[in-house]
């Protein structure tokens, strides 16, 4: 199963209703703008710590601040929880 299929088919319908609307909006922006473009086509079993670390380091190299880049591992851990 791809990351995108899991997020849209399971994560969003089952996890989003437990969040405040503003938190849902933040998660949706992060998913749509960053995580789904980077990992959407990847199989869940192919996404590991190394792939996520490379993604974060790439974001930092492109000028994103640590405070912002630090949110990606947290969001991904929620998806995989």
């Amino acid at each position: 199963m791809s990351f995108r299929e899991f997020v849209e088919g399971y994560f969003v319908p089952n996890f989003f209703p437990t969040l405040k609307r503003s938190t849902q909006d933040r998660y949706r922006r992060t998913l749509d703008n960053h995580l789904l473009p980077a990992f959407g086509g990847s199989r869940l079993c192919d996404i590991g710590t190394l792939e996520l670390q490379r993604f974060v380091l790439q974001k930092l190299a492109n000028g994103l601040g640590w405070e912002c880049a630090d949110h990606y591992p947290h969001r991904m851990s929620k998806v995989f929880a």
Side-chain angles (χ1 to χ4, degrees), residues 14-80:
N14 294 301
F15 183 68
F16 271 36
T18 67
L19 303 172
K20 292 189 311 183
R21 184 65 182 168
S22 60
T23 305
Q24 289 180 27
D25 292 342
R26 274 196 319 271
Y27 269 69
R28 177 47 73 185
R29 278 193 308 273
T30 301
L31 286 167
D32 289 345
N33 295 331
H34 303 283
L35 298 178
L36 288 173
F39 299 106
S42 300
R43 295 181 314 161
L44 291 174
C45 62
D46 293 335
I47 303 170
T49 304
L50 182 59
E51 289 76 24
L52 183 56
Q53 186 63 30
R54 285 180 180 154
F55 170 74
V56 170
L57 290 173
Q58 179 184 17
K59 290 291 186 179
L60 291 170
N62 290 336
L64 189 66
W66 174 249
E67 296 81 14
C68 294
D70 189 42
H71 292 286
Y72 300 127
H74 175 71
R75 300 286 193 274
M76 289 293 276
S77 72
K78 292 293 186 182
V79 171
F80 282 105

